[in-house]
PDB file of all heavy atoms in Angstrom:
ATOM      1  N   ASP A 692       0.821  -1.223  -0.002  1.00  0.00           N
ATOM      2  CA  ASP A 692       0.018  -0.011   0.013  1.00  0.00           C
ATOM      3  C   ASP A 692       0.849   1.266  -0.007  1.00  0.00           C
ATOM      4  O   ASP A 692       0.305   2.349  -0.151  1.00  0.00           O
ATOM      5  CB  ASP A 692      -0.936   0.055   1.198  1.00  0.00           C
ATOM      6  CG  ASP A 692      -1.966  -1.064   1.178  1.00  0.00           C
ATOM      7  OD1 ASP A 692      -2.538  -1.347   0.105  1.00  0.00           O
ATOM      8  OD2 ASP A 692      -2.212  -1.651   2.262  1.00  0.00           O
ATOM      9  N   THR A 693       2.157   1.114   0.159  1.00  0.00           N
ATOM     10  CA  THR A 693       3.017   2.286   0.211  1.00  0.00           C
ATOM     11  C   THR A 693       2.970   3.020  -1.110  1.00  0.00           C
ATOM     12  O   THR A 693       3.196   2.450  -2.194  1.00  0.00           O
ATOM     13  CB  THR A 693       4.478   1.829   0.486  1.00  0.00           C
ATOM     14  OG1 THR A 693       4.524   1.298   1.798  1.00  0.00           O
ATOM     15  CG2 THR A 693       5.429   3.025   0.427  1.00  0.00           C
ATOM     16  N   ALA A 694       2.657   4.298  -1.072  1.00  0.00           N
ATOM     17  CA  ALA A 694       2.519   5.122  -2.272  1.00  0.00           C
ATOM     18  C   ALA A 694       2.209   6.551  -1.850  1.00  0.00           C
ATOM     19  O   ALA A 694       1.892   6.813  -0.703  1.00  0.00           O
ATOM     20  CB  ALA A 694       1.391   4.578  -3.148  1.00  0.00           C
ATOM     21  N   VAL A 695       2.255   7.430  -2.821  1.00  0.00           N
ATOM     22  CA  VAL A 695       1.684   8.758  -2.628  1.00  0.00           C
ATOM     23  C   VAL A 695       0.228   8.673  -3.064  1.00  0.00           C
ATOM     24  O   VAL A 695      -0.084   8.206  -4.118  1.00  0.00           O
ATOM     25  CB  VAL A 695       2.417   9.813  -3.478  1.00  0.00           C
ATOM     26  CG1 VAL A 695       1.743  11.192  -3.344  1.00  0.00           C
ATOM     27  CG2 VAL A 695       3.883   9.925  -3.096  1.00  0.00           C
ATOM     28  N   TYR A 696      -0.658   9.112  -2.162  1.00  0.00           N
ATOM     29  CA  TYR A 696      -2.085   9.080  -2.388  1.00  0.00           C
ATOM     30  C   TYR A 696      -2.573  10.433  -2.773  1.00  0.00           C
ATOM     31  O   TYR A 696      -2.290  11.444  -2.124  1.00  0.00           O
ATOM     32  CB  TYR A 696      -2.811   8.582  -1.136  1.00  0.00           C
ATOM     33  CG  TYR A 696      -2.668   7.088  -0.899  1.00  0.00           C
ATOM     34  CD1 TYR A 696      -1.457   6.553  -0.527  1.00  0.00           C
ATOM     35  CD2 TYR A 696      -3.751   6.229  -1.128  1.00  0.00           C
ATOM     36  CE1 TYR A 696      -1.309   5.186  -0.337  1.00  0.00           C
ATOM     37  CE2 TYR A 696      -3.622   4.864  -0.939  1.00  0.00           C
ATOM     38  CZ  TYR A 696      -2.401   4.344  -0.539  1.00  0.00           C
ATOM     39  OH  TYR A 696      -2.264   2.992  -0.358  1.00  0.00           O
ATOM     40  N   TYR A 697      -3.356  10.492  -3.835  1.00  0.00           N
ATOM     41  CA  TYR A 697      -3.911  11.718  -4.362  1.00  0.00           C
ATOM     42  C   TYR A 697      -5.436  11.656  -4.393  1.00  0.00           C
ATOM     43  O   TYR A 697      -5.999  10.570  -4.586  1.00  0.00           O
ATOM     44  CB  TYR A 697      -3.431  11.952  -5.819  1.00  0.00           C
ATOM     45  CG  TYR A 697      -1.937  12.009  -6.014  1.00  0.00           C
ATOM     46  CD1 TYR A 697      -1.228  10.874  -6.283  1.00  0.00           C
ATOM     47  CD2 TYR A 697      -1.276  13.188  -6.001  1.00  0.00           C
ATOM     48  CE1 TYR A 697       0.144  10.894  -6.488  1.00  0.00           C
ATOM     49  CE2 TYR A 697       0.086  13.269  -6.196  1.00  0.00           C
ATOM     50  CZ  TYR A 697       0.807  12.104  -6.436  1.00  0.00           C
ATOM     51  OH  TYR A 697       2.139  12.176  -6.654  1.00  0.00           O
ATOM     52  N   CYS A 698      -6.064  12.761  -4.286  1.00  0.00           N
ATOM     53  CA  CYS A 698      -7.499  12.821  -4.547  1.00  0.00           C
ATOM     54  C   CYS A 698      -7.755  13.768  -5.702  1.00  0.00           C
ATOM     55  O   CYS A 698      -6.964  14.660  -5.985  1.00  0.00           O
ATOM     56  CB  CYS A 698      -8.282  13.268  -3.306  1.00  0.00           C
ATOM     57  SG  CYS A 698      -7.842  14.845  -2.543  1.00  0.00           S
ATOM     58  N   ALA A 699      -8.872  13.522  -6.394  1.00  0.00           N
ATOM     59  CA  ALA A 699      -9.216  14.312  -7.552  1.00  0.00           C
ATOM     60  C   ALA A 699     -10.733  14.308  -7.729  1.00  0.00           C
ATOM     61  O   ALA A 699     -11.410  13.372  -7.344  1.00  0.00           O
ATOM     62  CB  ALA A 699      -8.545  13.761  -8.812  1.00  0.00           C
ATOM     63  N   VAL A 700     -11.197  15.346  -8.377  1.00  0.00           N
ATOM     64  CA  VAL A 700     -12.603  15.401  -8.764  1.00  0.00           C
ATOM     65  C   VAL A 700     -12.810  14.482  -9.957  1.00  0.00           C
ATOM     66  O   VAL A 700     -12.033  14.535 -10.944  1.00  0.00           O
ATOM     67  CB  VAL A 700     -13.018  16.831  -9.148  1.00  0.00           C
ATOM     68  CG1 VAL A 700     -14.419  16.868  -9.744  1.00  0.00           C
ATOM     69  CG2 VAL A 700     -12.938  17.760  -7.935  1.00  0.00           C
ATOM     70  N   ASP A 701     -13.793  13.633  -9.905  1.00  0.00           N
ATOM     71  CA  ASP A 701     -14.166  12.759 -10.994  1.00  0.00           C
ATOM     72  C   ASP A 701     -15.448  13.320 -11.610  1.00  0.00           C
ATOM     73  O   ASP A 701     -16.537  13.096 -11.075  1.00  0.00           O
ATOM     74  CB  ASP A 701     -14.340  11.321 -10.523  1.00  0.00           C
ATOM     75  CG  ASP A 701     -14.446  10.326 -11.657  1.00  0.00           C
ATOM     76  OD1 ASP A 701     -14.974  10.706 -12.721  1.00  0.00           O
ATOM     77  OD2 ASP A 701     -14.010   9.182 -11.479  1.00  0.00           O
ATOM     78  N   ARG A 702     -15.305  13.969 -12.758  1.00  0.00           N
ATOM     79  CA  ARG A 702     -16.467  14.605 -13.422  1.00  0.00           C
ATOM     80  C   ARG A 702     -17.443  13.602 -14.000  1.00  0.00           C
ATOM     81  O   ARG A 702     -18.534  13.999 -14.373  1.00  0.00           O
ATOM     82  CB  ARG A 702     -15.970  15.549 -14.510  1.00  0.00           C
ATOM     83  CG  ARG A 702     -15.205  16.762 -14.028  1.00  0.00           C
ATOM     84  CD  ARG A 702     -16.095  17.785 -13.360  1.00  0.00           C
ATOM     85  NE  ARG A 702     -17.107  18.300 -14.283  1.00  0.00           N
ATOM     86  CZ  ARG A 702     -16.920  19.315 -15.143  1.00  0.00           C
ATOM     87  NH1 ARG A 702     -15.739  19.933 -15.180  1.00  0.00           N
ATOM     88  NH2 ARG A 702     -17.890  19.725 -15.898  1.00  0.00           N
ATOM     89  N   ASP A 703     -17.045  12.335 -14.070  1.00  0.00           N
ATOM     90  CA  ASP A 703     -17.888  11.298 -14.672  1.00  0.00           C
ATOM     91  C   ASP A 703     -18.458  10.367 -13.627  1.00  0.00           C
ATOM     92  O   ASP A 703     -18.801   9.212 -13.943  1.00  0.00           O
ATOM     93  CB  ASP A 703     -17.065  10.508 -15.705  1.00  0.00           C
ATOM     94  CG  ASP A 703     -17.908   9.724 -16.668  1.00  0.00           C
ATOM     95  OD1 ASP A 703     -19.016  10.220 -17.012  1.00  0.00           O
ATOM     96  OD2 ASP A 703     -17.494   8.648 -17.103  1.00  0.00           O
ATOM     97  N   GLN A 704     -18.581  10.811 -12.426  1.00  0.00           N
ATOM     98  CA  GLN A 704     -19.175  10.058 -11.323  1.00  0.00           C
ATOM     99  C   GLN A 704     -18.550   8.644 -11.183  1.00  0.00           C
ATOM    100  O   GLN A 704     -19.206   7.620 -11.260  1.00  0.00           O
ATOM    101  CB  GLN A 704     -20.697   9.958 -11.497  1.00  0.00           C
ATOM    102  CG  GLN A 704     -21.429  11.266 -11.369  1.00  0.00           C
ATOM    103  CD  GLN A 704     -21.292  11.902  -9.999  1.00  0.00           C
ATOM    104  OE1 GLN A 704     -21.383  11.222  -8.979  1.00  0.00           O
ATOM    105  NE2 GLN A 704     -21.071  13.199  -9.969  1.00  0.00           N
ATOM    106  N   CYS A 705     -17.238   8.677 -11.000  1.00  0.00           N
ATOM    107  CA  CYS A 705     -16.430   7.483 -10.750  1.00  0.00           C
ATOM    108  C   CYS A 705     -16.257   6.612 -11.993  1.00  0.00           C
ATOM    109  O   CYS A 705     -16.001   5.417 -11.874  1.00  0.00           O
ATOM    110  CB  CYS A 705     -16.971   6.668  -9.575  1.00  0.00           C
ATOM    111  SG  CYS A 705     -16.895   7.552  -7.989  1.00  0.00           S
ATOM    112  N   GLY A 706     -16.324   7.264 -13.143  1.00  0.00           N
ATOM    113  CA  GLY A 706     -15.925   6.569 -14.361  1.00  0.00           C
ATOM    114  C   GLY A 706     -14.406   6.520 -14.553  1.00  0.00           C
ATOM    115  O   GLY A 706     -13.931   5.860 -15.459  1.00  0.00           O
ATOM    116  N   PHE A 707     -13.689   7.301 -13.776  1.00  0.00           N
ATOM    117  CA  PHE A 707     -12.221   7.354 -13.804  1.00  0.00           C
ATOM    118  C   PHE A 707     -11.677   7.829 -15.147  1.00  0.00           C
ATOM    119  O   PHE A 707     -10.577   7.469 -15.536  1.00  0.00           O
ATOM    120  CB  PHE A 707     -11.626   6.018 -13.414  1.00  0.00           C
ATOM    121  CG  PHE A 707     -11.642   5.749 -11.933  1.00  0.00           C
ATOM    122  CD1 PHE A 707     -12.820   5.361 -11.297  1.00  0.00           C
ATOM    123  CD2 PHE A 707     -10.500   5.843 -11.141  1.00  0.00           C
ATOM    124  CE1 PHE A 707     -12.889   5.094  -9.937  1.00  0.00           C
ATOM    125  CE2 PHE A 707     -10.553   5.585  -9.798  1.00  0.00           C
ATOM    126  CZ  PHE A 707     -11.714   5.237  -9.175  1.00  0.00           C
ATOM    127  N   ARG A 708     -12.428   8.650 -15.861  1.00  0.00           N
ATOM    128  CA  ARG A 708     -12.003   9.142 -17.137  1.00  0.00           C
ATOM    129  C   ARG A 708     -11.766  10.643 -17.179  1.00  0.00           C
ATOM    130  O   ARG A 708     -10.911  11.104 -17.934  1.00  0.00           O
ATOM    131  CB  ARG A 708     -13.020   8.765 -18.223  1.00  0.00           C
ATOM    132  CG  ARG A 708     -13.171   7.293 -18.468  1.00  0.00           C
ATOM    133  CD  ARG A 708     -14.156   7.036 -19.600  1.00  0.00           C
ATOM    134  NE  ARG A 708     -15.493   7.496 -19.304  1.00  0.00           N
ATOM    135  CZ  ARG A 708     -16.514   7.557 -20.177  1.00  0.00           C
ATOM    136  NH1 ARG A 708     -16.308   7.232 -21.445  1.00  0.00           N
ATOM    137  NH2 ARG A 708     -17.702   8.008 -19.796  1.00  0.00           N
ATOM    138  N   TYR A 709     -12.502  11.381 -16.399  1.00  0.00           N
ATOM    139  CA  TYR A 709     -12.420  12.844 -16.424  1.00  0.00           C
ATOM    140  C   TYR A 709     -12.052  13.308 -15.032  1.00  0.00           C
ATOM    141  O   TYR A 709     -12.914  13.682 -14.243  1.00  0.00           O
ATOM    142  CB  TYR A 709     -13.751  13.438 -16.886  1.00  0.00           C
ATOM    143  CG  TYR A 709     -14.153  12.981 -18.270  1.00  0.00           C
ATOM    144  CD1 TYR A 709     -15.169  12.030 -18.436  1.00  0.00           C
ATOM    145  CD2 TYR A 709     -13.482  13.412 -19.392  1.00  0.00           C
ATOM    146  CE1 TYR A 709     -15.550  11.595 -19.704  1.00  0.00           C
ATOM    147  CE2 TYR A 709     -13.839  12.979 -20.648  1.00  0.00           C
ATOM    148  CZ  TYR A 709     -14.873  12.068 -20.811  1.00  0.00           C
ATOM    149  OH  TYR A 709     -15.240  11.643 -22.066  1.00  0.00           O
ATOM    150  N   LEU A 710     -10.760  13.313 -14.807  1.00  0.00           N
ATOM    151  CA  LEU A 710     -10.240  13.600 -13.474  1.00  0.00           C
ATOM    152  C   LEU A 710      -9.607  14.988 -13.452  1.00  0.00           C
ATOM    153  O   LEU A 710      -8.746  15.294 -14.267  1.00  0.00           O
ATOM    154  CB  LEU A 710      -9.191  12.546 -13.090  1.00  0.00           C
ATOM    155  CG  LEU A 710      -9.684  11.104 -13.196  1.00  0.00           C
ATOM    156  CD1 LEU A 710      -8.545  10.138 -12.953  1.00  0.00           C
ATOM    157  CD2 LEU A 710     -10.806  10.856 -12.202  1.00  0.00           C
ATOM    158  N   GLU A 711     -10.047  15.815 -12.545  1.00  0.00           N
ATOM    159  CA  GLU A 711      -9.643  17.193 -12.486  1.00  0.00           C
ATOM    160  C   GLU A 711      -9.312  17.596 -11.067  1.00  0.00           C
ATOM    161  O   GLU A 711      -9.656  16.943 -10.093  1.00  0.00           O
ATOM    162  CB  GLU A 711     -10.774  18.098 -13.004  1.00  0.00           C
ATOM    163  CG  GLU A 711     -11.163  17.815 -14.468  1.00  0.00           C
ATOM    164  CD  GLU A 711     -12.340  18.690 -14.905  1.00  0.00           C
ATOM    165  OE1 GLU A 711     -12.926  19.386 -14.075  1.00  0.00           O
ATOM    166  OE2 GLU A 711     -12.645  18.669 -16.111  1.00  0.00           O
ATOM    167  N   VAL A 712      -8.645  18.722 -10.953  1.00  0.00           N
ATOM    168  CA  VAL A 712      -8.361  19.362  -9.651  1.00  0.00           C
ATOM    169  C   VAL A 712      -7.649  18.393  -8.732  1.00  0.00           C
ATOM    170  O   VAL A 712      -8.113  18.115  -7.639  1.00  0.00           O
ATOM    171  CB  VAL A 712      -9.668  19.910  -9.008  1.00  0.00           C
ATOM    172  CG1 VAL A 712      -9.314  20.907  -7.892  1.00  0.00           C
ATOM    173  CG2 VAL A 712     -10.559  20.592 -10.036  1.00  0.00           C
ATOM    174  N   TRP A 713      -6.518  17.914  -9.181  1.00  0.00           N
ATOM    175  CA  TRP A 713      -5.701  17.044  -8.356  1.00  0.00           C
ATOM    176  C   TRP A 713      -5.150  17.761  -7.153  1.00  0.00           C
ATOM    177  O   TRP A 713      -4.685  18.890  -7.271  1.00  0.00           O
ATOM    178  CB  TRP A 713      -4.585  16.449  -9.173  1.00  0.00           C
ATOM    179  CG  TRP A 713      -5.010  15.526 -10.239  1.00  0.00           C
ATOM    180  CD1 TRP A 713      -5.369  15.807 -11.520  1.00  0.00           C
ATOM    181  CD2 TRP A 713      -5.149  14.100 -10.112  1.00  0.00           C
ATOM    182  NE1 TRP A 713      -5.721  14.642 -12.201  1.00  0.00           N
ATOM    183  CE2 TRP A 713      -5.573  13.599 -11.344  1.00  0.00           C
ATOM    184  CE3 TRP A 713      -4.927  13.179  -9.055  1.00  0.00           C
ATOM    185  CZ2 TRP A 713      -5.817  12.217 -11.566  1.00  0.00           C
ATOM    186  CZ3 TRP A 713      -5.156  11.830  -9.254  1.00  0.00           C
ATOM    187  CH2 TRP A 713      -5.564  11.369 -10.517  1.00  0.00           C
ATOM    188  N   GLY A 714      -5.162  17.087  -6.039  1.00  0.00           N
ATOM    189  CA  GLY A 714      -4.472  17.591  -4.871  1.00  0.00           C
ATOM    190  C   GLY A 714      -2.997  17.311  -4.937  1.00  0.00           C
ATOM    191  O   GLY A 714      -2.485  16.672  -5.853  1.00  0.00           O
ATOM    192  N   GLN A 715      -2.297  17.757  -3.924  1.00  0.00           N
ATOM    193  CA  GLN A 715      -0.807  17.602  -3.876  1.00  0.00           C
ATOM    194  C   GLN A 715      -0.375  16.190  -3.563  1.00  0.00           C
ATOM    195  O   GLN A 715       0.695  15.772  -3.958  1.00  0.00           O
ATOM    196  CB  GLN A 715      -0.221  18.554  -2.829  1.00  0.00           C
ATOM    197  CG  GLN A 715      -0.170  19.999  -3.255  1.00  0.00           C
ATOM    198  CD  GLN A 715       0.790  20.223  -4.402  1.00  0.00           C
ATOM    199  OE1 GLN A 715       0.356  20.397  -5.555  1.00  0.00           O
ATOM    200  NE2 GLN A 715       2.073  20.236  -4.097  1.00  0.00           N
TER     201      GLN A 715
END
């Protein structure tokens, strides 16, 4: 599980295709 974890807005309701506004 070791990794850098990011969050992002998913404009496609969890379709994982339109990801915007990534955090640090």
Side-chain angles (χ1 to χ4, degrees):
D692 295 318
T693 296
V695 177
Y696 285 71
Y697 303 89
C698 56
V700 173
D701 191 329
R702 294 286 300 275
D703 198 34
Q704 295 297 318
C705 296
F707 282 76
R708 295 185 296 170
Y709 302 106
L710 307 173
E711 300 177 352
V712 196
W713 291 89
Q715 286 292 104

